[in-house]
Amino acid sequence: MSFLHKDWSAFTFVDLGCGKGRALIAASQHGFARVIGVEFAKSLVDIAIKNGKIAGVRVEVRNEDAAQFEFPEGDIVVFMFNPFRETVMRQVLCNLARHQGKLYLLYYRPEQSAVVDERTDFLAKIGQIPTAPGFCVWQGVARARESCSERC
């Protein structure tokens, strides 16, 4: 997170495919206004909630399909650790294209990066994080997002 040199206190961190909650716990230490995990597998949701309690951090973990998830209003950072294949990724990007506010997309081990790179209508690739190989970052392009929902 230090790579972007931002004050995260007005941002919500969203981890799509949060698994057991490791990234949620890490994000909670960076001063985000909210930390939300989205996980399809109920058993992993239960573990992520338990791990948040053990770590003593406040996180929200939702048992939802990422393809149906409605992103919260305001400024967001979306994190993904290669959670799904192309079909779901395309739907997630369509949902994300409708989001208003500042947006950063952090994608670790981005096997679907070509799908993300296609969405130049609302995302601009910043590059890779120098201290974390395999970690790609995109930034939302606000004025282009107004017309991008036509592609979905």
Side-chain angles (χ1 to χ4, degrees), residues 43-64:
S43 60
L44 293 176
V45 168
D46 295 340
I47 293 169
I49 292 169
K50 182 179 177 181
N51 286 340
K53 287 179 182 177
I54 290 169
V57 297
R58 191 172 143 223
V59 297
E60 301 171 42
V61 185
R62 300 181 185 178
N63 185 204
E64 292 184 37

Side-chain angles (χ1 to χ4, degrees), residues 1 8 13 15 21-32 35 51-52 55 57 59 79:
M1 297 308 302
W8 300 113
F13 180 91
D15 181 358
R22 183 177 184 179
L24 301 175
I25 293 167
S28 70
Q29 299 168 354
H30 286 278
F32 286 95
V35 177
N51 286 340
V57 297
V59 297
F79 172 77

Side-chain angles (χ1 to χ4, degrees), residues 124-144:
K125 192 170 191 176
I126 295 173
Q128 292 188 304
I129 298 176
T131 57
F135 220 130
C136 293
V137 182
W138 288 263
Q139 183 173 7
V141 181
R143 66 190 146 111

Side-chain angles (χ1 to χ4, degrees), residues 29-107:
Q29 299 168 354
H30 286 278
F32 286 95
R34 289 174 69 192
V35 177
I36 302 171
V38 179
E39 177 56 54
F40 189 76
K42 176 67 170 126
S43 60
L44 293 176
V45 168
D46 295 340
I47 293 169
I49 292 169
K50 182 179 177 181
N51 286 340
K53 287 179 182 177
I54 290 169
V57 297
R58 191 172 143 223
V59 297
E60 301 171 42
V61 185
R62 300 181 185 178
N63 185 204
E64 292 184 37
D65 181 347
Q68 304 303 315
F69 180 69
E70 291 185 27
F71 290 93
E73 292 183 13
D75 301 337
I76 61 174
V77 172
V78 177
F79 172 77
M80 298 183 293
F81 187 148
N82 195 36
F84 26 72
R85 305 224 188 280
E86 182 178 347
T87 303
V88 174
M89 179 63 83
R90 288 189 185 283
Q91 185 59 51
V92 165
L93 291 172
C94 283
N95 296 343
L96 194 55
R98 294 181 199 93
H99 178 75
Q100 299 298 313
K102 293 178 185 172
L103 164 66
Y104 291 93
L105 175 61
L106 310 177
Y107 189 2

